[in-house]
Amino acid sequence: MSKHIPNISEAEWEVMNVLWERAPQTANEVISSLQEKTDWKPKTVRTLLDRLAQKEVVGINKNQKIYTFYPIYSQEECQRAETQSFIKRIYGGTVKSMLVQFMEEESLTEEDIKELRTVLNKNQKK
């Protein structure tokens, strides 16, 4: 991966999910969206937005009277970075160990298996 995406907390993920749904948004719009799903106070949401801006995961548009926030990275980029961090931390960087454990513990449907085979076959050709 060419660009380093900072780690974000679970609470920060909630804020990012709101911004990925629709951006840009004002702090009040983000607060309103999150209050439907959480019991967070407005100050908590503002703190999370500030943290994400400091980490340079969220940008701030200061060209208007009211600042708006937007994600700098796509949801897919953040998911990929989080996945790589998880695999490195928990499985010593090997995807195989994670897949083996997952497949031993989860019951897969025929459709799941077929989809996994397709992905593995594509990956093998690369």
Side-chain angles (χ1 to χ4, degrees):
M1 183 179 336
S2 58
K3 48 188 169 179
H4 173 71
I5 300 173
N7 291 335
I8 55 179
S9 70
E10 280 189 50
E12 291 167 341
W13 270 98
E14 291 297 323
V15 174
M16 291 302 295
N17 283 328
V18 168
L19 290 172
W20 284 319
E21 285 176 20
R22 185 177 60 83
Q25 290 190 56
T26 65
N28 285 337
E29 289 171 328
V30 174
I31 290 165
S32 177
S33 290
L34 286 168
Q35 285 182 329
E36 294 172 9
K37 307 172 190 174
T38 68
D39 60 354
W40 297 345
K41 303 281 186 246
K43 186 172 168 106
T44 302
V45 177
R46 288 181 190 278
T47 299
L48 291 169
L49 284 167
D50 287 342
R51 254 197 252 160
L52 287 165
Q54 287 172 352
K55 290 180 178 185
E56 297 181 347
V57 177
V58 165
I60 305 171
N61 183 355
K62 299 179 180 181
N63 297 337
Q64 303 165 359
K65 205 178 213 181
I66 300 174
Y67 291 179
T68 56
F69 297 85
Y70 60 93
I72 293 174
Y73 298 101
S74 71
Q75 187 171 15
E76 184 178 287
E77 289 172 312
C78 288
Q79 287 170 336
R80 190 176 302 117
E82 187 70 20
T83 300
Q84 289 174 348
S85 172
F86 172 78
I87 290 170
K88 189 180 223 176
R89 237 181 20 256
I90 307 299
Y91 293 97
T94 62
V95 176
K96 180 182 144 198
S97 299
M98 181 191 72
L99 288 174
V100 168
Q101 182 177 2
F102 174 78
M103 292 173 82
E104 286 175 347
E105 294 181 13
E106 295 293 321
S107 56
L108 300 173
T109 66
E110 282 298 319
E111 189 175 318
D112 292 337
I113 294 168
K114 186 177 178 182
E115 187 175 342
L116 283 170
R117 279 198 179 111
T118 301
V119 171
L120 289 171
N121 288 337
K122 282 182 188 175
N123 203 4
Q124 188 177 26
K125 291 176 185 174
K126 287 183 182 177

